[in-house]
């Protein structure tokens, strides 16, 4: 793979900037921070209506003729303005999984609607008491004719209060090992028996606890085989760990370095003139560049028809642990200023916000321990450290 530095989206940057100037309301950034919800329904609907969500997708499932490179440039410009699109990130992840493993009926029902911006899908994996061990799911789904009756609860169902569907990991067989008795269902969040309660996190995000009481899901919205949910999860996690839309804009380290060029240090000289500070920022920049290159490898494997399971695990492991190293160094570097939120702190409190959200980075999407096991076993050929239960 050629890692030569070039901007493959350069010809689309001007048009993407013009699009964002016209359509992106700067007030949306403040709204995200005050509500803790990283999904804007107005923006999402607009992206769907203009065919940007469907760029590059197969035409038979709702793909549009919008150039995928232009769409990516728009997404990156949105990210550069401080907006996140978590609703699209999870929807895209599940829609791509559906294309890999679902029935033709499910593909036709869900994917085109998702690309039009009408369907927003969130993840229902984690349960109270099971943490990142998703295979320990106890939510029960019992077959009743052409439907499944679902009972149980999920934790950290982010964006559920603004979504239409949830991708539920359920227990359909209690007589086999935990990895073999799972089935994925796509449930509507406005159906009777579904309850969504807010959970506000240390990082300022609103996530949710969701509860399901005799919720009925048609078998047509079963994604993958009965009791074959672990295989479906492996496909979904590949898309979660690196193939989602890349954010745009300068990195946090780049922002801090730009700030340090003029911010005075203890001796009154610019902070970046201190060789120790420059070295620390350089090391962090190297971490970020390694993460970027690993992410490019993941997207390259996916774009050539592969399933970058190992590559995604490598990228997720490095980037999440680098994020925690980054906030530790930046907190030491900025001192008490790193703890100032919003306009009271440097860079509008970007370091303070990163400090609060970093602890969870090595847990969601698969813990660092699990990522190390995947790399050790599947890339290095080492024996399993623990049996499949």
């Amino acid at each position: 793979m050629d890692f030569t530095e070039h901007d493959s989206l350069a010809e689309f940057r001007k048009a993407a900037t013009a699009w964002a100037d016209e359509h992106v309301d700067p007030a949306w950034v403040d709204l995200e921070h005050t509500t803790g919800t990283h999904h804007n329904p107005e923006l999402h609907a607009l992206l769907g209506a203009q065919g940007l969500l469907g760029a590059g997708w197969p035409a038979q499932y709702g793909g549009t003729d919008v150039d995928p490179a232009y769409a990516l440039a728009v997404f990156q410009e949105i990210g550069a303005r401080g907006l996140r699109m978590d609703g699209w990130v999870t929807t895209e992840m599940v829609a791509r999984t559906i294309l890999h493993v679902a029935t033709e009926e499910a593909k036709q029902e869900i994917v085109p609607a998702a690309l039009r911006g009408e369907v927003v899908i969130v993840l229902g994996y984690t349960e109270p008491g099971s943490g990142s061990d998703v295979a320990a799911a106890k939510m029960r789904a019992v077959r009743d004719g052409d439907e499944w009756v679902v009972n149980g609860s999920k934790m950290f169902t982010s964006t559920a209060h603004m979504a239409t569907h949830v991708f539920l990991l359920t227990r359909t067989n209690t007589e086999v090992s935990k990895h073999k008795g799972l089935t994925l269902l796509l449930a509507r969040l406005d159906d009777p028996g579904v309850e969504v309660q807010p959970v506000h996190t240390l990082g300022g995000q609103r996530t949710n606890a969701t509860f399901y009481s005799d919720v009925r899901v048609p078998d047509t919205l079963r994604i993958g085989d009965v009791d074959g949910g672990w295989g479906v999860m492996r496909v979904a996690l590949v898309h979660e760990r690196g193939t989602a839309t890349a954010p745009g804009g300068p990195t946090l380290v780049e922002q801090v370095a730009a700030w340090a060029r003029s911010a005075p240090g203890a001796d009154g000289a610019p902070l970046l003139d201190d060789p120790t500070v420059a070295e620390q920022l350089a090391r962090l920049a190297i971490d970020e560049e390694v993460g970027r290159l690993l992410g490019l490898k993941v997207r390259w494997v996916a774009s050539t028809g592969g399933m970058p399971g190992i590559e995604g695990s490598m990228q997720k492991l490095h980037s999440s642990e680098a994020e925690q190293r980054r906030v530790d160094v930046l907190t030491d570097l900025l001192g008490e200023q790193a703890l100032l939120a919003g306009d009271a702190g440097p860079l509008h409190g970007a370091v303070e916000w990163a400090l609060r959200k970093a602890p969870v980075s090595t847990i969601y999407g698969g813990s660092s321990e699990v990522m190390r096991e995947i790399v050790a076993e599947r890339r290095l050929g080492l024996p399993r450290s623990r049996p499949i239960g």
Side-chain angles (χ1 to χ4, degrees):
M1 183 176 177
D2 180 11
F3 286 118
T4 302
E5 184 70 27
H6 65 279
D7 185 359
S8 60
L9 306 181
E11 64 179 295
F12 300 104
R13 296 289 182 196
K14 185 175 180 180
T17 300
W19 187 96
D21 286 341
E22 179 180 356
H23 296 294
V24 174
D25 186 343
W28 290 346
V29 178
D30 290 335
L31 184 64
E32 280 200 6
H33 283 283
T34 56
T35 64
T37 297
H38 304 305
H39 171 76
N40 186 290
E42 185 178 346
L43 175 62
H44 187 83
L46 180 65
L47 291 167
Q50 295 194 0
L52 288 156
L53 299 183
W57 289 69
Q60 67 267 37
Y61 299 116
T64 67
D65 58 2
V66 174
D67 191 310
Y70 169 64
L72 181 56
V74 170
F75 295 152
Q76 290 187 347
E77 182 63 26
I78 291 170
R81 298 187 183 213
L83 287 170
R84 287 169 52 181
M85 300 193 301
D86 288 10
W88 172 239
V89 169
T90 53
T91 300
E92 180 186 19
M93 183 192 317
V94 177
R96 292 196 184 279
T97 303
I98 288 172
L99 286 186
H100 274 285
V101 303
T103 64
E104 186 63 24
E105 184 176 1
K107 292 176 186 178
Q108 292 291 349
E109 178 177 349
I110 297 299
V111 178
L115 300 183
R116 292 193 300 268
E118 299 165 3
V119 162
V120 176
I121 308 170
V122 294
L123 307 181
Y125 300 162
T126 304
E127 296 186 7
S130 64
S132 60
D133 183 10
V134 293
K138 293 185 171 121
M139 170 177 278
R140 290 287 281 130
V142 177
R143 189 73 176 260
D144 182 16
D146 292 332
E147 295 181 317
W148 294 87
V149 181
V150 177
N151 285 279
S153 62
K154 294 292 181 180
M155 194 65 182
F156 306 123
T157 320
S158 299
T159 324
H161 56 299
M162 307 193 82
T164 60
H165 293 72
V166 57
F167 195 43
L168 284 177
L169 183 67
T170 68
R171 175 74 52 195
T172 48
N173 190 337
T174 59
E175 304 300 318
V176 295
S177 64
K178 67 180 183 179
H179 289 83
K180 295 180 179 178
L182 301 168
T183 302
L184 267 299
L185 303 173
L186 197 62
R188 289 195 62 90
L189 283 162
D190 60 357
D191 276 349
V194 179
E195 180 182 355
V196 179
Q197 294 185 0
V199 175
H200 297 282
T201 71
L202 172 68
Q205 182 178 6
R206 173 187 167 159
T207 184
N208 302 281
T210 50
F211 303 88
Y212 307 82
S213 178
D214 291 331
V215 175
R216 290 185 170 268
V217 180
D219 188 57
T220 55
L221 291 182
R222 169 174 46 83
I223 310 302
D225 295 334
V226 176
D227 296 345
W230 189 246
V232 177
M233 279 289 298
R234 290 178 67 174
V235 173
L237 287 170
V238 165
H239 293 299
E240 183 175 4
R241 295 168 184 160
T243 60
T245 301
T251 67
L252 181 58
V253 173
E254 289 170 340
Q255 293 177 60
V256 171
W259 170 81
R261 288 190 179 96
S262 58
D267 59 358
L271 196 58
L272 198 59
D273 287 354
D274 184 331
T276 301
V277 171
E279 179 183 348
Q280 289 176 319
L281 291 176
R283 290 184 183 277
L284 295 180
I286 291 169
D287 255 354
E288 289 186 336
E289 178 64 5
V290 170
R292 187 186 73 85
L293 295 175
L294 288 171
L296 287 175
K297 180 64 178 291
V298 172
R299 288 189 287 278
W300 177 78
V301 172
S303 70
T304 56
M307 289 291 291
I310 299 171
E311 294 83 359
S313 297
M314 292 167 63
Q315 193 273 341
K316 199 276 175 181
L317 173 63
H318 171 82
S319 296
S320 60
E321 297 206 340
E323 181 177 356
Q324 294 186 350
R325 289 193 295 270
R326 180 166 60 246
V327 296
D328 285 346
V329 172
L330 293 180
T331 301
D332 288 342
L333 180 64
L334 272 67
E336 65 273 12
Q337 293 188 77
L339 305 180
L340 298 176
D343 290 338
L347 306 170
H348 305 288
V351 176
E352 186 272 343
W353 183 66
L355 176 64
R356 284 189 286 112
K357 75 182 187 68
V360 75
S361 64
T362 53
I363 301 173
Y364 67 72
S367 68
S368 290
E369 291 79 8
V370 172
M371 297 303 98
R372 286 190 173 90
E373 287 182 354
I374 291 172
V375 174
E377 295 161 14
R378 301 180 197 171
R379 174 55 57 85
L380 303 179
L382 299 175
R384 284 190 59 84
S385 61
R386 56 190 173 93
I388 295 178

